Amino acid sequence: MYLQIFNNPTHGLAHVCYSSRVSCKVRLSRVLAMPPSSILLHMDESNDLPKPKKGICQSEDSKNSLNSLSADSLLRQANTVGIIGGVSTDSTLKFVKKLVDWSSKDGKSSLPFVLCSDPALNKELLLYEENSYPSLYHRAESAPVDRKLIVGNLRNKRRYLEKCGAKLILMPCHIAHIWYEEVCEGSSVPLLHMGECIAKELQEAKMKPLEAGNPLRVGVMATSATLSAGFYQEKLQSNGFEAVLPDKATMEHTVIPSIEAMKREDMEGARNLLRIALQVLLVQAVNVVMLGSDEMRDLLPGDDPLLKKCVDPMDALARSAIKWAENQCS
């Protein structure tokens, strides 16, 4: 599948072609319209834009747009951002919406960006996350995950975005940050780390410890794969915070059952279990809880009082990218 956005400042008319030989035009809502000079690339496993198969209609504008893609930079603005899609396309698009909305406040132009999404990479990342709960997802033997394949795929996406003209790379995906250092190797542009972004924001908030004489404590709520990787804990500790994780009992009796309930589409049950898990962390004198899981974040309604005690690394990543872009233009 390829997705090419033709810039329409009002609605953002997109022409979409699927490999299943279905062709259609999609009119995006005003809030999802892409800013001028922004491109979405939906790539295949070879990290190339798939060629339309026989029988798929393709408009002349679409042909010209695809033919213009070359090794030369597509976008030449100094504040162009490159985005590598993660486990969930829906979550990636929500992140892009925030980036566009927040950067275009007060009449400003939103950030130019290139978004690269690969279903094969999404599948590998999801499988890696699911394998961290073998009893939950795979009662039988699960397929092994090739970490080298994931790293190579992420690196290829990074290189492609650099060729497209990106001056900053973002990975709005918790699991992908497990291989952050490896993905950064050989990069000619900076790549923001969500853990560093949220830790710096917490520092700037100048909170005081709830217990005198103790370091400021931050709870970390995430999936087993993210918690086991330890990158959020490391970034918090290196910035002077004490990271507090769910204990084994909390994981076994609330966090994992909450995920199980989500998979059964028992959203109310999942929500109640997550609330219990968050409250267990909060009673341990933590100032805030960092939600390192999009599924968990989306479980809670926007008016849930517990959200006032939570922070989202995705939001911190978007704000950090906007600050970077403003500095590039100043």
Side-chain angles (χ1 to χ4, degrees):
M1 168 187 172
Y2 70 83
L3 173 58
Q4 179 71 42
I5 295 294
F6 303 109
N7 293 316
N8 180 313
T10 304
H11 296 99
L13 182 64
H15 183 83
V16 187
C17 284
Y18 296 88
S19 59
S20 57
R21 299 192 177 185
V22 177
S23 180
C24 60
K25 288 192 176 183
V26 180
R27 184 166 297 277
L28 305 178
S29 67
R30 178 183 295 269
V31 294
L32 285 176
M34 295 300 103
S37 301
S38 292
I39 300 169
L40 291 94
L41 305 174
H42 200 87
M43 305 174 72
D44 61 16
E45 297 176 60
S46 64
N47 298 299
D48 293 322
L49 288 167
K51 295 180 181 178
K53 296 183 179 180
K54 184 178 179 181
I56 295 180
C57 67
Q58 188 177 4
S59 69
E60 195 62 35
D61 285 342
S62 179
K63 290 179 182 178
N64 293 336
S65 296
L66 289 172
N67 289 336
S68 70
L69 299 178
S70 67
D72 193 16
S73 295
L74 293 173
L75 303 180
R76 299 182 181 278
Q77 292 93 325
N79 62 339
T80 297
V81 172
I83 304 168
I84 302 175
V87 172
S88 163
T89 301
D90 182 60
S91 175
T92 301
L93 292 177
K94 286 180 181 178
F95 173 82
V96 171
K97 182 181 182 301
K98 287 180 180 179
L99 195 66
V100 170
D101 288 350
W102 295 352
S103 64
S104 59
K105 288 181 178 179
D106 304 321
K108 298 178 183 178
S109 296
S110 58
L111 295 183
F113 68 86
V114 184
L115 168 60
C116 180
S117 177
D118 178 1
L121 176 60
N122 298 357
K123 184 178 179 180
E124 287 294 322
L125 292 171
L126 179 60
L127 183 59
Y128 184 90
E129 183 175 49
E130 290 178 347
N131 280 354
S132 68
Y133 297 107
S135 62
L136 172 61
Y137 292 94
H138 303 285
R139 305 296 177 183
E141 280 191 35
S142 59
V145 179
D146 189 339
R147 295 170 62 98
K148 290 184 179 179
L149 180 63
I150 294 177
V151 171
N153 205 333
L154 287 168
R155 280 179 178 167
N156 286 337
K157 299 297 181 291
R158 189 214 75 212
R159 294 189 190 104
Y160 196 89
L161 290 172
E162 289 178 66
K163 287 183 180 180
C164 288
K167 301 300 187 293
L168 179 74
I169 305 295
L170 308 177
M171 293 194 300
C173 172
H174 303 283
I175 295 296
H177 276 69
I178 293 173
W179 303 281
Y180 172 85
E181 285 77 13
E182 294 155 278
V183 177
C184 285
E185 287 179 12
S187 179
S188 62
V189 300
L191 197 158
L192 292 184
H193 192 294
M194 284 202 292
E196 192 67 35
C197 293
I198 191 67
K200 287 185 176 180
E201 284 198 351
L202 290 173
Q203 275 190 331
E204 292 169 0
K206 300 188 181 302
M207 296 180 289
K208 295 182 179 180
L210 297 182
E211 294 180 346
N214 291 331
L216 198 147
R217 312 184 85 197
V218 176
V220 183
M221 181 65 66
T223 63
S224 290
T226 300
L227 292 176
S228 298
F231 55 86
Y232 280 130
Q233 300 92 295
E234 178 186 337
K235 293 298 182 182
L236 288 170
Q237 290 164 3
S238 64
N239 283 275
F241 300 102
E242 179 184 347
V244 181
L245 311 182
D247 58 21
K248 183 179 179 180
T250 302
M251 290 296 293
E252 292 180 351
H253 298 298
T254 58
V255 178
I256 293 177
S258 176
I259 297 172
E260 287 181 324
M262 274 192 279
K263 299 307 175 183
R264 297 194 307 269
E265 298 186 358
D266 175 12
M267 307 313 287
E268 187 60 31
R271 190 173 297 117
N272 290 336
L273 286 165
L274 177 60
R275 285 177 176 139
I276 293 171
L278 290 172
Q279 288 165 349
V280 170
L281 280 180
L282 289 169
V283 297
Q284 298 179 59
V286 301
N287 286 66
V288 294
V289 175
M290 190 187 70
L291 284 176
S293 165
D294 298 325
E295 283 186 320
M296 294 178 186
R297 169 61 185 83
D298 292 341
L299 262 182
L300 300 176
D303 59 352
D304 195 303
L306 280 174
L307 277 183
K308 295 179 180 179
K309 288 288 186 177
C310 296
V311 290
D312 187 347
M314 289 282 198
D315 291 353
L317 181 66
R319 286 188 289 264
S320 296
I322 293 169
K323 286 181 181 178
W324 170 88
E326 290 173 346
N327 289 335
Q328 296 300 111
C329 296
S330 59

